[in-house]
């Protein structure tokens, strides 16, 4: 009797396991690694796609290219085999695979964030003029992607290879509906963060959207964005660490140098260039910090960014916030424009925060303008604004984001 019950349990367990497997995409389970040879591409270019599996024999797979709406726009065949990396340090040297498949991007494929097999990013940019440019944080996602629970940051690696697997990040996943909505209502170009090195990739746009992880910037990235703002370009920030650390890009070696020959660790921009440093974006996590409060208090309910927002609070939760420097007057905050060196700054919503225990910082929504003829910068306070729990789960955040975009796209009237 006992043996019969045991057999029945095994059969039931086996049946459940088989049912689960049937519902899963077997090729997706077998595919362990997938990465491309460059951060972004133009239509008509050829992509080198590197793949690997832990499976003991090779197999053929029909790889799908989908857009942010989930529509399949193209496919290509790949023969996937077990490839072993010869690198001693994958974080620094990459996976060093030898075999790849070539995929030619259709000539008429529009600019966008696409996914290979609904998981791995493929950024298509354009040379045409667009109203909005969205910056996908490709290289920064590589830095934060772990290998055996280690990252470039945790290991303080001098070099970071871009030739390794980095799946679609949670911030981009949370903003999918925003991207789809923008494409339906405006002309949108997508670039990777390293594409900020060339101002020609975005200078014709009225608005540059920077979101998610955006910690490490090269000198060329910083210079291009600074020139863009000075020439009247506007920026929407949905990020926390933007332009905090300095790095250098080598397109030939496909890697990033994280600190220079006289350093022993990664440097923040203020520490690296303390004599000439200027906060070109106006916000920093050092002025913001951590907070137990899960809301902003509305300070300027009549501002266009808060159109159609009712109540006196904006609720969402984040780990860390980025803000401009603040002066407090009887528990009321004002942006310290003197220390920031900016022409104008408006506080739209706020709450208290602190990076260190003794600090009295702030978090919130801010509109900043470096000088009277420059573009404007709107900061929504945190990269966590983008995650599904917040952006998709709270209609207020979607409204504020769209309001901020509309506000920054309005024609400038000089009196």
């Amino acid at each position: 009797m006992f043996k019969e019950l045991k057999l029945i349990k095994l059969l039931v367990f086996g049946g459940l396991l088989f049912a689960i497997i049937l519902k899963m995409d077997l090729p997706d389970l077998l595919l362990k690694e997938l990465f491309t040879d460059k951060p972004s591409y133009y239509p008509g270019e050829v992509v080198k796609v590197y793949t690997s599996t832990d499976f003991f024999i090779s197999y053929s797979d029909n790889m799908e290219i989908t857009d942010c709406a989930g529509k399949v726009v193209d496919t290509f065949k790949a023969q996937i085999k077990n490839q072993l990396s010869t690198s001693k340090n994958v974080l620094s040297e990459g996976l060093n695979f030898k075999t790849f498949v070539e995929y030619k991007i259709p000539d008429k494929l529009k600019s966008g964030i696409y996914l290979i097999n609904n998981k791995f990013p493929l950024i298509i940019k354009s040379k045409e003029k667009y109203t909005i440019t969205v910056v996908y944080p490709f290289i920064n996602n590589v830095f934060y992607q772990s290998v055996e629970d280690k990252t470039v940051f945790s290991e303080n690696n001098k070099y970071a290879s871009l030739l390794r697997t980095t799946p679609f990040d949670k911030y981009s996943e949370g903003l999918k509906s925003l991207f789809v909505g923008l494409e339906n209502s405006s002309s949108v170009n997508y670039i990777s963060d390293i594409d900020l090195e060339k101002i020609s990739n975005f200078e014709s746009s009225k608005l540059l959207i920077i979101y998610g992880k955006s910690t490490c910037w090269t000198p060329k990235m910083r210079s291009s964005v600074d020139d863009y703002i000075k020439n009247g370009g506007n920026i929407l920030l949905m990020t926390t660490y933007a332009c905090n650390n300095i790095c250098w890009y080598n397109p030939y070696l496909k890697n990033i140098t994280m600190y220079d020959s006289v350093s022993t660790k990664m440097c923040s921009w203020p520490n690296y260039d303390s004599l000439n440093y200027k906060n070109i974006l106006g916000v920093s996590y050092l002025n913001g910090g951590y907070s137990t409060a899960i809301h902003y208090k509305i300070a300027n309910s009549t501002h266009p960014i808060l159109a159609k927002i009712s109540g006196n609070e904006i609720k969402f939760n984040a780990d860390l916030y980025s803000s401009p420097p603040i002066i407090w007057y009887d528990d009321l905050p004002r942006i310290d424009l003197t220390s920031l060196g900016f022409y104008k700054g408006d506080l739209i919503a706020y709450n208290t925060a602190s990076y260190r225990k003794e600090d009295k910082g702030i978090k919130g929504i801010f509109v900043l303008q470096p000088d009277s003829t420059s573009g404007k910068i709107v900061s929504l306070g945190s990269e966590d604004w983008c995650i599904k729990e917040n952006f998709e789960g709270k209609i207020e955040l979607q409204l504020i984001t769209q309001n901020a975009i509309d506000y920054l796209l309005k024609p400038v009237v000089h009196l």
Side-chain angles (χ1 to χ4, degrees):
M1 183 70 177
F2 176 76
K3 289 183 177 179
E4 291 177 354
L5 287 173
K6 190 174 181 180
L7 179 61
I8 290 171
K9 287 181 179 179
L10 287 172
L11 289 171
V12 171
F13 176 76
L16 289 172
L17 184 61
F18 184 68
I20 291 170
I21 291 173
L22 285 176
K23 290 182 179 180
M24 291 181 177
D25 187 343
L26 188 57
D28 189 53
L29 289 173
L30 296 175
L31 183 62
K32 183 183 180 182
E33 307 285 0
L34 189 150
F35 59 93
T36 57
D37 64 322
K38 292 197 299 185
S40 62
Y41 302 86
Y42 290 111
E45 282 194 284
V46 174
V47 183
K48 292 181 180 178
V49 183
Y50 296 84
T51 62
S52 181
T53 178
D54 281 341
F55 199 46
F56 59 92
I57 60 172
S58 63
Y59 66 94
S60 180
D61 192 13
N62 192 44
M63 316 291 276
E64 292 185 340
I65 309 292
T66 57
D67 61 17
C68 283
K71 179 184 176 183
V72 178
V73 299
D74 202 10
T75 61
F76 66 94
K77 288 282 186 181
Q79 190 69 23
I80 300 169
K81 68 176 186 178
N82 179 263
Q83 296 200 71
L84 298 177
S85 175
T86 58
S87 302
K88 293 181 179 179
N89 186 332
V90 172
L91 292 171
S92 294
E93 301 170 20
L95 286 168
N96 200 25
F97 290 164
K98 303 300 181 185
T99 304
F100 57 87
V101 62
E102 291 188 337
Y103 163 64
K104 185 179 183 298
I105 301 168
D107 292 330
K108 294 185 179 180
L109 188 64
K110 68 177 184 178
S111 178
I113 299 173
Y114 295 92
L115 295 176
I116 303 174
N117 275 21
N118 206 36
K119 186 176 181 181
F120 307 100
L122 179 65
I123 312 305
I124 308 301
K125 55 192 176 183
S126 175
K127 296 178 181 178
E128 303 299 322
K129 292 183 178 181
Y130 287 84
T131 304
I132 300 171
T133 294
V134 176
V135 183
Y136 181 84
F138 185 94
I139 63 166
N140 276 277
N141 286 344
V142 173
F143 303 153
Y144 283 93
Q145 180 64 30
S146 64
V147 175
E148 297 179 349
D149 297 323
K150 298 176 181 179
T151 68
V152 171
F153 295 109
S154 68
E155 300 305 295
N156 193 35
N157 282 9
K158 182 168 183 176
Y159 302 105
S161 174
L162 303 182
L163 299 178
R164 59 188 183 91
T165 302
T166 306
F168 199 53
D169 66 280
K170 65 179 181 180
Y171 308 105
S172 301
E173 183 70 39
L175 293 180
K176 271 185 176 180
S177 63
L178 174 66
F179 301 149
V180 173
L182 288 177
E183 291 163 17
N184 290 333
S185 61
S186 188
S187 61
V188 188
N189 186 32
Y190 293 85
I191 61 174
S192 72
D193 43 5
I194 200 62
D195 289 317
L196 290 174
E197 284 204 331
K198 294 183 179 180
I199 194 171
S200 59
N201 286 322
F202 59 94
E203 65 182 338
S204 63
S205 293
K206 295 180 180 178
L207 172 61
L208 188 67
I209 298 178
I210 299 172
Y211 71 92
K213 296 292 187 186
S214 189
T215 306
C216 296
W217 285 33
T218 68
K220 290 180 180 179
M221 290 168 65
R222 195 173 184 276
S223 176
S224 293
V225 172
D226 191 20
D227 288 343
Y228 173 76
I229 298 169
K230 287 177 180 177
N231 293 330
N234 299 309
I235 294 183
L236 174 61
L237 296 175
M238 292 182 280
T239 181
T240 307
Y241 300 96
C243 200
N244 185 68
N245 292 86
I246 186 171
C247 63
W248 296 265
Y249 175 51
N250 189 321
Y252 305 104
L253 296 178
K254 311 291 177 68
N255 71 2
I256 301 288
T257 302
M258 305 302 290
Y259 54 94
D260 67 10
S261 58
V262 298
S263 304
T264 58
K265 61 181 180 179
M266 297 173 214
C267 292
S268 68
W269 266 102
N271 291 334
Y272 184 80
D273 191 16
S274 56
L275 293 177
N276 303 307
Y277 175 75
K278 180 182 179 182
N279 187 343
I280 64 169
L281 298 176
V283 294
S284 167
Y285 69 92
L286 295 174
N287 296 319
Y290 305 96
S291 172
T292 56
I294 59 171
H295 67 277
Y296 293 158
K297 295 183 286 188
I298 291 178
N300 186 354
S301 61
T302 61
H303 197 280
I305 289 177
L306 297 184
K308 300 180 183 179
I309 300 298
S310 59
N312 55 12
E313 292 181 349
I314 302 163
K315 294 183 178 180
F316 85 104
N317 196 15
D319 291 330
L320 188 67
Y321 301 85
S322 186
S323 304
I326 292 293
I327 298 176
W328 291 88
Y329 296 94
D330 298 326
D331 290 330
L332 292 175
R334 292 182 186 176
I335 298 172
D336 186 355
L337 294 174
T338 301
S339 67
L340 189 58
F342 275 25
Y343 163 71
K344 190 175 181 182
D346 295 323
L347 190 153
I348 312 302
Y350 76 99
N351 211 327
T352 56
S354 63
Y355 183 64
R356 301 177 185 86
K357 287 184 179 180
E358 67 273 13
D359 292 343
K360 190 176 181 184
I362 196 171
K363 63 180 184 179
I365 299 173
F366 310 94
V367 180
L368 304 168
Q369 189 172 9
D371 61 59
S372 59
T373 59
S374 70
K376 294 179 180 178
I377 301 162
V378 171
S379 172
L380 300 181
S382 174
E383 62 202 28
D384 289 331
W385 182 280
C386 309
I387 62 176
K388 269 190 175 183
E389 173 191 342
N390 288 323
F391 190 82
E392 288 295 331
K394 296 175 175 58
I395 188 66
E396 292 88 353
L397 271 61
Q398 297 172 39
L399 284 171
I400 291 168
T401 305
Q402 188 58 57
N403 288 342
I405 291 169
D406 294 341
Y407 169 76
L408 291 170
L409 290 178
K410 285 196 314 181
V412 176
V413 178
H414 295 289
L415 299 178

